[in-house]
Amino acid sequence: MSTTNPPPPPPKLKTRILTIPPSSPLGSWSSPNSLQTWTLPPTPLIPPSLTLAATALTTSTASSFSTPVAFPTETVYGLGADATSSTAVKGIYTAKGRPSDNPLIVHVSDLSMLSTLSTIPEIYHELISKFWPGPLTILLPVPTSGQLLAPEVTAGLTTFGARMPDSPLARALIQLVGKPLAAPSANASTRPSPTKAVHVLEDLEGKIELILDGGDCAVGVESTVVDGLCNPPVVLRPGGVGIEEIRQVKGWEGVVKGYKDRSEVGEGHKPRAPGMKYKHYSPRARVVLFEGHKPVNVGKELEGGGQKKVGVIRTGEWEGLVGETEGRIESEEGGFAVRQGSLRDEEGKELATVLDVDLGRDVKGVAHGLFAALRELDRLGADIIFVEGVSDGDDIAAAVMNRLRKAASEIRP
Ligand code: TXA
Ligand code: MG
């Protein structure tokens, strides 16, 4: 019998959050209206925490053990590593517990960095000038010779996803490293994406060393992923840039949806974006999504279910279950409040504790607070979460409903 020992588990790391104050100097474009070169401030002015993170990203690639660094973007927090180093990129898959056949997005600080990786086909030129820097990822061909990207980034595909984030902090970090950063969302695989530094800590404490805290992510859902290398061009994942906006761009009038939400996926359907085939965006609580705005009868829903704590996420039409005056657990600037109350039967007997969140009617606001609300209800111990869907549209609503359909265990009309 073989006596080979299993490999030792990776060491538990001490995870630190380093805050980058909002007023920190992070650089500027060398010439206005050009995305060619992002220029860093003079070295003494660069925030020391940023330098520390860049050093960690650079030096760890030389060792056999490598940990990625979490950083904010305008969409969600990313888990970054030098995209040109196999050792560094493998560290991302290990920390996240991510299947290695799911490719990573490559983040660049400017167009001159991107030009070292690939040439940009004409079809993308106007799209880039309209939406970059911003929540849009484009698929580019991997060059057949002289390719710099580690093979683990592309998971063996002939294309790679590229994105220039609209976060000066992210661009400054990339520019300081001097290499493109491969970065998936910085959640543990299957969990909702992180939109605050503490979300990253919840999922990855002990697995990474550094989290840069640049505040809450403005958009709150991930980038839109498009493939312009095929005809007609395809949206592979709805995200921060709406399909209706993309359709306005020359060459993109006939763009088609290449993704299927779970409710539409039939038996034997082969997903196109590899990310689609995994359970995704899910809190620990069971999520029930109501696609129409039909009111939910929570008391009836819970009959015989035995759930003690019920989360409710409202997006406009549903009436609040908890009065304005009942316990406000958490409220935050520009965010949402969770109100706690009791659901009672006609005799006044408590049926369950209700945790009520109103994300408002503005779909951008819903996108901004969605992942944070799912995580917050988890943290407060919800057993089940009822979510009011938003009306399907070709704007950011498509991303909201796509994420909710993937997070849900059950979808109701
Ligand atoms: O907003 C975002 O895009 C965030 C932030 C951190 O930038 N990143 C992000 O990465 O969401 P991730 O790894 O969680 O999602 C990447 C998505 C996956 O659905 C993956 O399958 C798809 O992009 N993707 C990446 N490269 C691809 C390729 N070559 N072909 C098809 N899909 C690709
Ligand atoms: Mg992700």
Side-chain angles (χ1 to χ4, degrees), residues 71 73-79 96 98 101-107 135-137 139-140 153-154 157-163 165 183-187 193 221-225 227 236-237 272-276 280-281 403:
F71 65 97
T73 80
E74 78 283 15
T75 57
V76 300
Y77 274 74
L79 188 61
K96 266 192 75 125
R98 179 179 174 111
D101 62 342
N102 193 4
L104 305 174
I105 293 172
V106 176
H107 297 67
L136 178 77
T137 295
L139 291 200
L140 292 173
V153 172
T154 56
L157 300 175
T158 55
T159 57
F160 70 98
R163 162 163 136 75
S185 46
N187 50 294
S193 298
V221 291
E222 300 84 345
S223 61
T224 305
V225 181
D227 183 356
L236 292 174
R237 176 178 75 180
R272 271 193 82 171
M276 294 195 295
H280 236 118
Y281 312 113
R403 306 307 188 266

Side-chain angles (χ1 to χ4, degrees), residues 6-12 65 94:
K12 194 158 164 36
F65 178 74
T94 308

Side-chain angles (χ1 to χ4, degrees), residues 72-383:
T73 80
E74 78 283 15
T75 57
V76 300
Y77 274 74
L79 188 61
D82 177 351
T84 67
S85 156
S86 285
T87 312
V89 175
K90 281 181 192 157
I92 296 177
Y93 288 101
T94 308
K96 266 192 75 125
R98 179 179 174 111
S100 60
D101 62 342
N102 193 4
L104 305 174
I105 293 172
V106 176
H107 297 67
V108 295
S109 51
D110 55 26
L111 291 179
S112 62
M113 183 179 276
L114 186 58
S115 68
T116 64
L117 303 176
S118 188
T119 45
I120 305 171
E122 174 77 33
I123 179 91
Y124 290 124
H125 291 186
E126 200 181 325
L127 213 58
I128 287 175
S129 71
K130 262 201 151 145
F131 301 117
W132 274 11
L136 178 77
T137 295
I138 61 173
L139 291 200
L140 292 173
V142 174
T144 43
S145 67
Q147 91 128 315
L148 293 178
L149 295 175
E152 291 78 7
V153 172
T154 56
L157 300 175
T158 55
T159 57
F160 70 98
R163 162 163 136 75
M164 187 192 290
D166 186 23
S167 153
L169 200 168
R171 290 200 303 276
L173 178 68
I174 300 163
Q175 191 73 326
L176 209 48
V177 173
K179 299 277 181 59
L181 293 183
S185 46
N187 50 294
S189 240
T190 80
R191 301 265 301 139
S193 298
T195 56
K196 297 169 188 282
V198 295
H199 296 162
V200 182
L201 191 70
E202 275 166 20
D203 282 17
L204 301 180
E205 184 164 21
K207 298 195 165 145
I208 59 174
E209 286 165 305
L210 292 181
I211 301 169
L212 287 181
D213 185 351
D216 292 6
C217 301
V219 178
V221 291
E222 300 84 345
S223 61
T224 305
V225 181
V226 296
D227 183 356
L229 304 174
C230 53
N231 193 8
V234 180
V235 173
L236 292 174
R237 176 178 75 180
V241 175
I243 302 172
E244 63 187 16
E245 294 173 89
I246 293 172
R247 217 175 267 133
Q248 307 297 316
V249 175
K250 194 166 152 285
W252 290 82
E253 299 86 353
V255 66
V256 295
K257 292 178 191 173
Y259 62 89
K260 291 260 191 278
D261 288 325
R262 203 173 61 180
S263 61
E264 301 164 43
V265 176
E267 282 294 293
H269 172 82
K270 195 169 172 294
R272 271 193 82 171
M276 294 195 295
K277 64 183 171 177
Y278 305 104
K279 183 179 149 123
H280 236 118
Y281 312 113
S282 304
R284 278 174 283 271
R286 181 179 158 78
V287 173
V288 182
L289 169 64
F290 290 74
E291 294 207 329
H293 291 278
K294 268 192 233 151
V296 58
N297 183 338
V298 174
K300 198 153 175 47
E301 291 291 337
L302 294 181
E303 269 168 21
Q307 295 96 346
K308 294 274 177 295
K309 271 197 180 179
V310 181
V312 177
I313 298 179
R314 297 182 287 125
T315 61
E317 305 292 328
W318 283 4
E319 302 227 346
L321 292 169
V322 179
E324 290 280 331
T325 52
E326 283 182 80
R328 173 179 283 247
I329 294 164
E330 197 219 41
S331 91
E332 46 191 25
E333 196 70 27
F336 55 84
V338 183
R339 289 204 183 80
Q340 180 167 321
S342 297
L343 184 76
R344 298 182 187 278
D345 67 11
E346 279 143 25
E347 281 96 57
K349 187 173 142 258
E350 183 175 81
L351 297 172
T353 301
V354 179
L355 299 163
D356 181 84
V357 176
D358 185 1
L359 291 180
R361 272 163 196 267
D362 171 25
V363 73
K364 283 195 170 157
V366 175
H368 173 76
L370 181 67
F371 289 139
L374 291 172
R375 280 181 177 267
E376 185 60 8
L377 292 174
D378 242 1
R379 201 181 64 78
L380 296 170
D383 304 304

